[in-house]
Amino acid sequence: MTESVIAVLGGTGPQGKGLAYRFAKAGRRVILGSRDARRAAEAAHELDERVGGGGLVTGATNPEATSQASLVVVAVPWDGHDELIGSLRAELVEKIVVSCVNPIGFDKRGPFGLPMADSSAAEHLQSIVPEARVVAAFHHVSAGNLIGPAEKLDHEDVLVAGDDKDATEAVRELAATVTGRPGIDAGALRLARQLEPLTAVLISINKKYKTRAGVTISGLPEA
Ligand SMILES: NC(=O)c1ccc[n+]([C@@H]2O[C@H](COP(=O)([O-])OP(=O)(O)OC[C@H]3O[C@@H](n4cnc5c(N)ncnc54)[C@H](OP(=O)(O)O)[C@@H]3O)[C@@H](O)[C@H]2O)c1
């Protein structure tokens, strides 16, 4: 395990790839995880070329990526999430595990937060791997903006929720690779119950205004 390596599970999808792009662009070493090593290698090659071809981005299966990293970002759909996390239980112990997973459904009235019975995707993760240091973050940054041309998404804030103080601080710092400033400490992990379904509101706004809405918090003291 290397201290500074970040694994992104589901790194072949738009959100995982977008986050990995921002991390690598800021000089962090990233391993894209996938269920298929070849798919991971192809996505990693494409991203590595985009950030200068220095080998900062590589690909691996999800278990290999997880075992080589100290910080793991989970960027897979809610459907299949518990099964994947359960299969990586041993590799995730004691690691900082960041969930950006939004359990969202769609019907004829549009997007909505799925009923989670007093829980959230991030808390599911924590209950499957109690020894992991789970932090919820990056729920409201869109894949399109992440992979887009902006130098930094400095018009957006990353809200970070966690129960492990040091892990939360590490993820707040990581958020600066995306927005140019630390993420906002939003409180305890259980607040993921509010953060995750808020994305349904953003998706609805996106549809109405044909944009990629994000979240900005006003009223904070100057850093
Ligand atoms: N898209 C966004 O703008 C956005 C924004 C904020 C948060 N999020 C959240 O980020 C997560 C990923 O979003 P996405 O749009 O990138 O999703 P996605 O394209 O549907 O899936 C991402 C990757 O997850 C892997 N995957 C798919 N089904 C899986 C399963 N059943 N088990 C294990 N791995 C599976 C696939 O990689 P392999 O086939 O290579 O394994 C896929 O490329 C979601 O939870 C979403 O709510 C997305």
Side-chain angles (χ1 to χ4, degrees), residues 15-223:
Q15 185 69 357
K17 222 195 272 187
L19 286 169
Y21 168 59
R22 293 288 159 177
F23 302 155
K25 190 171 179 291
R28 309 292 291 266
R29 168 95 170 79
V30 186
I31 308 175
L32 300 186
S34 167
R35 291 168 293 183
D36 181 288
R38 205 166 114 185
R39 208 157 43 235
E42 282 169 8
H45 179 70
E46 179 196 322
L47 219 50
D48 195 54
E49 292 280 292
R50 180 141 183 225
V51 294
L56 272 181
V57 188
T58 55
T61 61
N62 288 320
E64 284 166 8
T66 306
S67 62
Q68 289 177 48
S70 57
L71 188 149
V72 180
V73 177
V74 181
V76 298
W78 171 238
D79 201 11
H81 168 275
D82 284 6
E83 196 185 332
L84 175 71
I85 298 302
S87 74
L88 297 173
R89 210 178 273 135
E91 289 90 344
L92 289 170
V93 167
E94 287 179 12
K95 295 193 175 163
I96 298 176
V97 187
V98 184
S99 174
C100 68
V101 175
N102 294 317
I104 284 173
F106 296 83
D107 64 15
K108 59 179 191 289
R109 293 165 65 197
F112 62 98
L114 292 173
M116 295 294 287
D118 290 336
S119 192
S120 59
E123 288 166 285
H124 264 250
L125 206 167
Q126 185 70 83
S127 68
I128 297 168
V129 195
E131 307 89 346
R133 305 164 70 197
V134 179
V135 178
F138 303 115
H139 300 90
H140 311 128
V141 279
S142 81
N145 283 345
L146 286 167
I147 208 71
E151 184 56 30
K152 292 276 187 225
L153 307 185
D154 51 10
H155 58 295
E156 299 194 36
D157 281 312
V158 172
L159 302 183
V160 183
D163 293 336
D164 180 315
K165 193 170 176 296
D166 291 342
T168 303
E169 282 308 306
V171 178
R172 289 185 62 220
E173 186 198 315
L174 183 63
T177 64
V178 174
T179 61
R181 55 186 182 279
I184 294 176
D185 187 342
L189 189 67
R190 67 180 180 185
L191 289 172
R193 297 175 201 181
Q194 279 70 45
L195 296 182
E196 292 169 3
L198 177 62
T199 303
V201 179
L202 298 178
I203 295 170
S204 180
I205 291 169
N206 289 346
K207 202 166 167 215
K208 178 104 184 153
Y209 294 91
K210 302 196 182 343
T211 186
R212 290 184 188 129
V215 166
T216 310
I217 302 297
S218 62
L220 291 174
E222 292 291 322

